[in-house]
Amino acid sequence: MKVSLLTVLFVADFFFPYHVFALNFLLNRHVSHSMRALEERLGIRLLTRTTRNVSTTEAGERILQRIAPRFEDIDTELEMLSELTSKAAGLVRISCSDHAAFNLVWPKLSPLLEEYPDIQLEINVDNGFTNIVSSRFDAGVRLGEAVEKDMIAVRVGPPMRMAMVATPGYLAQHGTPTSPEELTEHKCISLRLISAGRVYEWELDNGKRQVNVKSKGQVIFNHPALICKAALEGFGLAFLPEDMFASALTQGKLIRVMEDWCQPFPGYHLYYPNRNNHSPAFSAVIDRLRYRE
């Protein structure tokens, strides 16, 4: 057992008036051994010991007076840390896609910040797959099927569907695709996943067969909003979460194709490395984001 100088001096300084406590503590064989080792290393006696009393020597008192203010600073910092563990306060960092940020994370967490003004929230938008551990994020939000198996996952959104769309003009000129194989004959507006270092492959599922299609076309973007804009301008087929096209579909500006190849799939999940030692702030974030049917 190792006893720090901090502990010994703390006892000598703050508990010395209670002689029995100080005596029992400082005469403990582990503490006594550590204290004598310190005195030998310094070459000077710091404590005067008798069978009924323990007191500091002049040298010990001098050291104590010099170091005690620093102990008070440490104690203040420890109290501040203790407050963080007892109330919802501090920084929570989350990595997510822009779609998740705009449609789920921010709408759910902005009211939380008003309720808990001591919580600080950082939302980092990345449409790729950020390593939340190495990048020091508290959590990430991704589609359920994309969450790594060694992560704790909490469902935070309903099931989702993708939609493949194009303008009436584009379909009139190039035809309407009905199978994944026909997509090679079409202009596809692609999404580049920056952190993943690749172009997103369209994941198609008709309930019987799953196919990943490497989209090829005239334009590639790293932001879904630009894909929507390019689709509306007739640059080809676009493939994104269906809610991103809702208004244009309702207005007839875009037409949905291959709907049978766009089956529902697990929606967004919050994921993080472990279950232990969550701060109250992070626990509040988890609770607010959790999906409730």
Side-chain angles (χ1 to χ4, degrees):
M1 174 182 176
K2 295 183 178 180
V3 180
S4 67
L5 174 60
L6 171 62
T7 303
V8 175
L9 292 180
F10 178 88
V11 172
D13 185 32
F14 297 102
F15 288 93
F16 180 72
Y18 305 95
H19 296 296
V20 174
F21 179 89
L23 179 63
N24 290 337
F25 185 89
L26 292 173
L27 290 182
N28 175 283
R29 62 188 182 88
H30 296 297
V31 178
S32 179
H33 176 76
S34 297
M35 199 65 208
R36 290 185 187 281
L38 176 62
E39 290 175 326
E40 290 177 4
R41 188 175 69 182
L42 296 176
I44 192 171
R45 179 175 293 181
L46 301 175
L47 294 176
T48 298
R49 307 167 182 82
T50 69
T51 57
R52 297 183 58 83
N53 192 25
V54 178
S55 62
T56 54
T57 63
E58 181 180 353
E61 186 66 25
R62 181 177 177 181
I63 291 177
L64 193 58
Q65 289 178 356
R66 285 178 175 270
I67 298 179
R70 300 177 187 178
F71 291 168
E72 293 176 3
D73 292 339
I74 293 173
D75 188 53
T76 300
E77 291 296 326
L78 291 175
E79 286 183 3
M80 293 176 64
L81 290 175
S82 178
E83 289 180 1
L84 289 179
T85 64
S86 61
K87 70 176 184 178
L91 175 64
V92 177
R93 304 183 70 228
I94 298 176
S95 171
C96 61
S97 67
D98 58 347
H99 182 262
F102 279 103
N103 295 279
L104 190 148
V105 178
W106 180 244
K108 283 192 173 185
L109 294 185
S110 56
L112 181 74
L113 299 181
E114 295 180 357
E115 296 175 29
Y116 297 95
D118 292 324
I119 291 180
Q120 184 181 13
L121 178 66
E122 178 179 342
I123 299 176
N124 184 276
V125 173
D126 183 356
N127 290 312
F129 296 93
T130 299
N131 185 321
I132 62 171
V133 176
S134 63
S135 299
R136 301 178 67 84
F137 287 102
D138 295 290
V141 175
R142 291 290 181 268
L143 298 176
E145 56 191 16
V147 175
E148 296 179 2
K149 301 300 182 182
D150 60 344
M151 292 286 176
I152 306 302
V154 177
R155 186 180 178 188
V156 295
M160 293 175 57
R161 289 187 73 185
M162 301 293 283
M164 191 183 304
V165 302
T167 61
Y170 173 87
L171 295 176
Q173 182 178 354
H174 299 279
T176 301
T178 59
S179 69
E181 290 73 22
E182 295 179 32
L183 293 178
T184 58
E185 305 299 323
H186 283 267
K187 296 179 181 179
C188 298
I189 306 170
S190 301
L191 172 67
R192 181 173 294 281
L193 305 176
I194 298 298
S195 61
R198 61 180 176 84
V199 172
Y200 169 66
E201 295 183 0
W202 294 7
E203 300 168 283
L204 306 178
D205 181 1
N206 67 353
K208 298 178 180 179
R209 187 161 66 104
Q210 296 179 344
V211 180
N212 285 6
V213 176
K214 294 183 178 180
S215 58
K216 295 182 180 180
Q218 194 174 7
V219 288
I220 300 173
F221 297 107
N222 69 344
H223 199 289
L226 289 170
I227 293 178
C228 290
K229 184 174 177 59
L232 285 167
E233 294 175 0
F235 279 91
L237 297 168
F239 186 69
L240 291 171
E242 62 181 358
D243 63 288
M244 299 191 71
F245 302 124
S247 177
L249 289 171
T250 300
Q251 297 173 32
K253 295 180 179 180
L254 293 173
I255 295 177
R256 191 165 188 165
V257 301
M258 292 180 58
E259 188 170 355
D260 57 327
W261 282 92
C262 300
Q263 297 294 314
F265 57 90
Y268 286 118
H269 285 65
L270 181 81
Y271 65 98
Y272 48 91
N274 59 70
R275 301 178 185 271
N276 301 322
N277 300 322
H278 292 164
S279 70
F282 186 53
S283 295
V285 166
I286 295 175
D287 184 67
R288 186 58 56 91
L289 287 176
R290 189 184 303 274
Y291 177 68
R292 295 173 174 84
E293 297 187 39

